Amino acid sequence: MTYTTQMDAARKGILTPEIRTVSEKEGMTPERLMALMAKGRIIIPANKNHKNLSAEGVGEGLRTKINVNLGISKDCSDVEMEMEKVHLALRLKAEAIMDLSCFGKTQEFRKRLVEISPAMIGTVPIYDAVGFYDKNIKDISVDEFFRVVETHVKDGVDFLTIHAGLNRETAEKIKRNERITSIVSRGGSLLYTWMQLNDAENPFYEHYDRLLEICEAHDVTLSLGDACRPGCLHDSTDACQVQELITLGELTRRAWERNVQVMIEGPGHMAMDEIAGNMMMEKRLCHGAPFYVLGPLVTDVAPGYDHITSAIGGAIAAASGADFLCYVTPAEHLRLPDLEDMKEGIIASRIAAHAADIAKKIPGARKWDDAMSRARAALDWETMFSLAMDPDKPRAYRASSMPEHEDSCSMCGRMCAVRNMNRIREGKDIQLQD
């Protein structure tokens, strides 16, 4: 029996290699996995041309996944540095990498990325279009936009961010509802500009069936972008954001009719007390499709520390139903992140994702924590380091300030509660003084 996409296979009861891989990674039966995929509640982004992919599932009942953004730009066009970032993201176990390249030899970089990465790869084709054609945004034709999409798909990209929900109706809402930060989505702002200058409908909304045909042919997942995501707390959960979300729900159903997998992108900046409600709203309006969020950042006043503001929001969002977190680095809003910024952002996002998995009671999530707790109780430093999310940092901290006694740390020394309780339980004496 043949199939076109992973969703089509699930609906036909075909156990693809990718479905088998995800089933084994997640400890979910293939039957349960395929049932949720058939409904669109789980996706497995897996372009037929991405030969090195180690498939991951995103959605209901699965571990929360994280994505890392990178790519070359006009101001930072060092391809080899971006490749170093790729290797770092893979070493730190990011499940996805988004190539946001918008300058120079973007296809060459993208092909190298797809070739070496077992992580799923995403792109935003409209970023590439301006540099690809070396034209002003106004002068790019509809056919040219779609040729870039086709190029990315043929190169092996697993998911595409397309801001198809920003139609003329939503654009009018933006004009009528004043925001402090207007549109902060780069792709959304480019499409809005194109629409206004050409007095035309969003080409990806107007010609959505053409987009679905491309995705179906190569088994590419649509990540329906949130052009109206809030760029500050003031703008969250407003009419523009909600209107676009309603449209994305309608586009989701149309994609599923073609067996095209879909995830929905979400906020943005948002106060903590709005996050759970937004997660519920997305799941209702978009029929249970997986939710991919940037943050949310829970305050606007911490530039240089937005990996923390994002991790707080991401943990709440994922615990409330979000399935996929886009990392945020300390350099957010300020510059292109370097390797150290990336590491801080990845670890912060992984902490948020794992904390949420514990709250969601994902099978096996707490086993990792229990193993660490047993190592701590035994004062087994090497096991603690091996279990750590980032083994290098705790190892370096301990090496920088070694205690008098190996079975303690330099904070408590002989007064270490764990050390003393272990000794008492073993019938040994405790001497706090020389």
Side-chain angles (χ1 to χ4, degrees):
M1 191 181 298
T2 61
Y3 62 92
T4 54
T5 68
Q6 296 295 323
M7 175 179 250
D8 185 37
R11 287 173 168 173
K12 292 176 176 176
I14 300 172
L15 182 61
T16 68
E18 292 79 13
I19 293 174
R20 183 184 295 109
T21 295
V22 172
S23 172
E24 291 170 355
K25 285 183 177 181
E26 300 284 348
M28 180 180 283
T29 66
E31 293 75 18
R32 174 66 174 159
L33 181 58
M34 287 191 283
L36 290 169
M37 290 177 67
K39 296 176 182 177
R41 295 183 179 181
I42 289 178
I43 58 171
I44 301 179
N47 188 318
K48 294 173 182 176
N49 294 330
H50 189 175
K51 306 302 183 185
N52 193 36
L53 178 70
S54 177
E56 294 284 358
V58 178
E60 184 178 318
L62 305 183
R63 290 180 298 105
T64 306
K65 307 305 188 297
I66 73 160
N67 170 71
V68 170
N69 291 338
L70 44 79
I72 50 177
S73 65
K74 190 170 185 178
D75 290 321
C76 298
S77 56
D78 187 340
V79 172
E80 296 310 316
M81 174 55 70
E82 293 309 298
M83 290 306 300
E84 282 191 51
K85 293 179 181 179
V86 170
H87 290 295
L88 177 62
L90 295 175
R91 182 168 66 83
L92 293 178
K93 302 180 181 179
E95 289 89 2
I97 295 173
M98 285 201 77
D99 172 18
L100 307 186
S101 295
C102 58
F103 176 80
K105 297 179 180 179
T106 56
Q107 187 174 33
E108 179 183 314
F109 177 73
R110 184 168 56 251
K111 284 184 172 181
R112 287 179 64 186
L113 174 59
V114 171
E115 183 179 357
I116 70 166
S117 176
M120 52 186 161
I121 305 298
T123 60
V124 190
I126 195 171
Y127 291 1
D128 197 19
V130 176
F132 188 83
Y133 295 112
D134 194 23
K135 287 183 175 183
N136 289 323
I137 186 70
K138 176 182 183 295
D139 300 324
I140 299 175
S141 70
V142 172
D143 284 341
E144 286 173 330
F145 278 132
F146 276 94
R147 275 201 292 275
V148 173
V149 170
E150 289 172 341
T151 298
H152 284 221
V153 165
K154 289 176 181 177
D155 288 343
V157 169
D158 303 296
F159 64 95
L160 299 172
T161 290
I162 304 286
H163 299 86
L166 180 62
N167 57 17
R168 284 186 135 175
E169 183 180 0
T170 305
E172 287 303 311
K173 276 252 186 323
I174 294 169
K175 293 177 183 178
R176 295 196 303 269
N177 293 271
E178 185 176 351
R179 287 178 145 198
I180 291 179
T181 55
S182 189
I183 294 178
V184 299
S185 158
R186 194 191 334 176
S189 67
L190 289 171
L191 273 172
Y192 183 87
T193 298
W194 187 92
M195 292 164 64
Q196 296 303 305
L197 293 178
N198 289 288
D199 189 24
E201 181 58 275
N202 179 344
F204 296 114
Y205 179 79
E206 185 174 5
H207 304 284
Y208 188 61
D209 287 332
R210 182 175 177 180
L211 178 64
L212 294 180
E213 184 177 349
I214 295 169
C215 292
E216 183 183 20
H218 293 84
D219 196 2
V220 171
T221 297
L222 267 181
S223 186
L224 290 174
D226 53 337
C228 296
R229 72 169 180 263
C232 63
L233 300 189
H234 176 275
D235 296 344
S236 65
T237 324
D238 68 353
C240 310
Q241 179 192 334
V242 176
Q243 176 64 48
E244 183 181 29
L245 193 59
I246 292 170
T247 304
L248 295 182
E250 295 167 353
L251 295 177
T252 297
R253 283 193 183 276
R254 288 176 59 186
W256 288 346
E257 290 171 3
R258 296 288 296 268
N259 289 312
V260 173
Q261 300 182 105
V262 174
M263 60 181 162
I264 309 296
E265 297 187 12
H269 293 234
M270 183 168 288
M272 288 194 295
D273 61 335
E274 294 181 40
I275 294 174
N278 267 261
M279 302 306 108
M280 181 180 69
M281 180 169 62
E282 182 276 340
K283 292 290 183 177
R284 289 294 297 273
L285 293 178
C286 297
H287 321 295
F291 204 16
Y292 172 28
V293 297
L294 178 70
L297 282 68
V298 296
T299 178
D300 299 328
V301 298
Y305 299 91
D306 277 329
H307 59 311
I308 298 174
T309 65
S310 171
I312 294 168
I316 297 170
S320 303
D323 307 284
F324 195 14
L325 303 181
C326 186
Y327 93 142
V328 172
T329 78
E332 183 77 7
H333 306 111
L334 303 171
R335 69 169 191 200
L336 194 74
D338 62 18
L339 289 168
E340 188 57 34
D341 296 328
M342 277 192 65
K343 181 176 181 180
E344 292 292 320
I346 292 170
I347 295 300
S349 293
R350 287 193 62 202
I351 292 169
H354 180 63
D357 288 348
I358 293 169
K360 288 191 285 191
K361 296 180 171 53
I362 297 298
R366 290 192 68 150
K367 288 183 179 178
W368 187 7
D369 297 76
D370 290 344
M372 176 65 83
S373 298
R374 292 188 187 98
R376 282 186 173 143
L379 293 169
D380 182 349
W381 301 100
E382 284 304 316
T383 300
M384 284 187 255
F385 298 149
S386 69
L387 288 168
M389 196 172 285
D390 171 19
D392 296 341
K393 193 166 189 176
R395 191 183 297 277
Y397 270 125
R398 181 158 175 83
S400 70
S401 181
M402 289 299 293
E404 178 185 2
H405 298 279
E406 177 63 24
D407 59 349
S408 65
C409 74
S410 59
M411 182 175 185
C412 297
R414 293 185 185 181
M415 295 180 68
C416 172
V418 176
R419 173 182 182 269
N420 291 337
M421 288 302 297
N422 287 345
R423 291 178 69 86
I424 286 292
R425 291 166 72 181
E426 292 167 5
K428 297 179 180 177
D429 190 18
I430 294 175
Q431 294 185 356
L432 300 182
Q433 304 294 333
D434 289 329

